Amino acid sequence: MNTHGLIDGLRRLDAERPTLPAEHWLKLSAGMVLLLAGGRGSFVARTLSIAAGGVLVYKAFSGRDGLTEMLKRESAQGRRTLELDGRLVASADEPEPEPIIGSAEVLRERLALEEDAATVRDAVEESTRT
């Protein structure tokens, strides 16, 4: 088997297997450890450590179910969540924005509330003067 056939076989095998729980977070962590540890040892050890760390960080963000895909999927749904093993760990759903111009009924209600607030403010000012 030639090198290209071996690499294609490994890619196919990787694409067919299910994603392990928190796999990309583990890749990111391991990559950061290797990048931070890259300042020690001989030149060859530093170079290999930095290269392996960079590859692991890249793989954590790219790939089939990488962190980039997860963030795109979540932002497309208008929410920010953190899921591990398919379970929701944290969520910060963004509220629906209020319409700039609402229906006529909503505008009338807002005007009535503003008028009521002005009436109460005037009454309080009048009572404090006397």
Side-chain angles (χ1 to χ4, degrees):
M1 181 183 260
N2 62 17
T3 306
H4 293 294
L6 177 64
I7 291 173
D8 289 339
L10 289 173
R11 283 185 181 161
R12 197 171 36 253
L13 180 67
D14 185 46
E16 292 171 357
R17 71 171 177 80
T19 303
L20 298 173
E23 173 182 347
H24 296 287
W25 293 107
L26 293 171
K27 285 180 189 175
L28 179 64
S29 301
M32 294 305 293
V33 166
L34 286 173
L35 286 173
L36 293 173
R40 301 187 187 121
S42 68
F43 174 75
V44 174
R46 287 192 313 251
T47 304
L48 290 176
S49 177
I50 290 171
V55 167
L56 284 172
V57 169
Y58 174 77
K59 285 293 287 175
F61 281 97
S62 65
R64 177 184 42 174
D65 294 326
L67 299 175
T68 304
E69 289 300 317
M70 181 185 72
L71 294 173
K72 282 182 190 176
R73 185 174 54 245
E74 296 300 325
S75 67
Q77 296 173 354
R79 58 184 197 174
R80 293 174 289 178
T81 61
L82 174 60
E83 293 182 10
L84 295 174
D85 294 337
R87 294 175 301 181
L88 183 65
V89 177
S91 176
D93 290 342
E94 296 177 7
E96 291 291 322
E98 289 189 28
I100 295 173
I101 299 176
S103 64
E105 182 179 325
V106 171
L107 291 175
R108 278 193 294 272
E109 287 177 14
R110 287 186 180 174
L111 286 173
L113 289 173
E114 288 176 8
E115 289 173 1
D116 290 344
T119 304
V120 169
R121 187 175 40 243
D122 291 342
V124 168
E125 287 176 1
E126 184 67 33
S127 67
T128 55
R129 279 188 241 158
T130 58

